[in-house]
Amino acid sequence: MEQVKLNVIKGDITKQEVDAIVNAANNSLLGGGGVDGAIHRAGGPAILEECKQISANQGGCPTGEAVITTAGNLPAKYVIHTVGPVWHGGNQHEPELLANCYRNSLHLATEKQLKSIAFPNISTGVYGYPKYKAAEIAVGATKEFLQQHDTSLQSITFVCFDDENYELYSRILDE
Ligand code: ADP
């Protein structure tokens, strides 16, 4: 685990030059707003084409699971699409499902032998997950994955889009 660097930055995930950026997709994989809209806009139609094929083959993507596609015109090599839970108050398995997003994305990246990955703050936009709780799960699930698995990854970056998330992640990663 020592050699894997955990970073936090404030910025736009579509600009990250990493092996894979993670998308906070929805169950249909057919595109949405927020970070999903930004990724498809910046990456071009090749990403949506592959998402449509995956959707046709497996009927979308269940919450907590992840799939991988090309990154089209983005500087990243791949996009890992994972579906975060909608916040319903916390008693609908939201913590476990959100942790699964991070675990399954890290598994996919490891299977593909990737060295770097960048995550957005999954579920903290329109899906309404409280930011502090989501940040604790993101960091906790990532550290747990690294303790339990050998991975090709050398760098994991949490890309925060707003000041509040940036401050939360900075604080949690300092601890
Ligand atoms: P969800 O439906 O999972 O809540 P959203 O896309 O609404 O997904 O929001 C997830 C997080 O992504 C939010 O914290 C939002 O501020 C952030 N976000 C939106 N656009 C970008 C972007 N271009 N780069 C990084 N993060 C972004």
Side-chain angles (χ1 to χ4, degrees):
M1 180 175 172
E2 275 75 39
Q3 62 273 41
V4 186
K5 211 168 172 305
L6 296 187
N7 313 295
V8 55
I9 62 164
K10 207 188 144 201
D12 180 346
I13 201 160
T14 66
K15 304 267 166 38
Q16 301 306 309
E17 295 180 22
V18 289
D19 288 342
I21 61 167
V22 177
N23 180 19
N26 59 41
N27 293 121
S28 76
L29 295 178
L30 300 185
V35 71
D36 193 344
I39 287 171
H40 285 290
R41 265 196 308 281
I47 303 175
L48 192 59
E49 272 314 308
E50 225 180 308
C51 284
K52 280 183 183 162
Q53 269 176 23
I54 293 168
S55 242
N57 290 338
Q58 64 174 56
C61 183
T63 305
E65 303 296 311
V67 302
I68 189 164
T69 69
T70 174
N73 305 325
L74 295 171
K77 297 194 186 102
Y78 298 95
V79 178
I80 293 174
H81 307 261
T82 187
V83 182
V86 177
W87 177 258
H88 289 296
N91 295 317
Q92 310 278 330
H93 306 290
E94 294 95 330
E96 187 66 14
L97 291 166
L98 186 59
N100 285 346
C101 290
Y102 289 90
R103 291 185 193 120
N104 287 321
S105 298
L106 293 165
H107 269 299
L108 262 183
T110 302
E111 265 170 35
K112 284 269 185 189
Q113 295 290 312
L114 304 186
K115 292 197 166 62
S116 54
I117 188 169
F119 284 99
N121 309 137
I122 300 165
S123 284
T124 67
V126 286
Y127 281 5
Y129 211 110
K131 288 177 182 173
Y132 179 72
K133 291 185 199 292
E136 276 197 313
I137 288 169
V139 174
T142 298
K143 286 188 169 171
E144 191 184 85
F145 177 89
L146 295 175
Q147 278 161 5
Q148 294 176 348
H149 302 87
D150 284 328
T151 181
S152 52
L153 288 165
Q154 296 171 356
S155 156
I156 299 173
T157 303
F158 299 102
V159 181
C160 302
F161 203 57
D162 59 76
D163 289 324
E164 189 185 351
N165 267 316
Y166 179 72
E167 276 153 31
L168 287 169
Y169 273 82
S170 303
R171 188 144 41 89
I172 292 168
L173 279 170
D174 267 353
E175 281 163 6

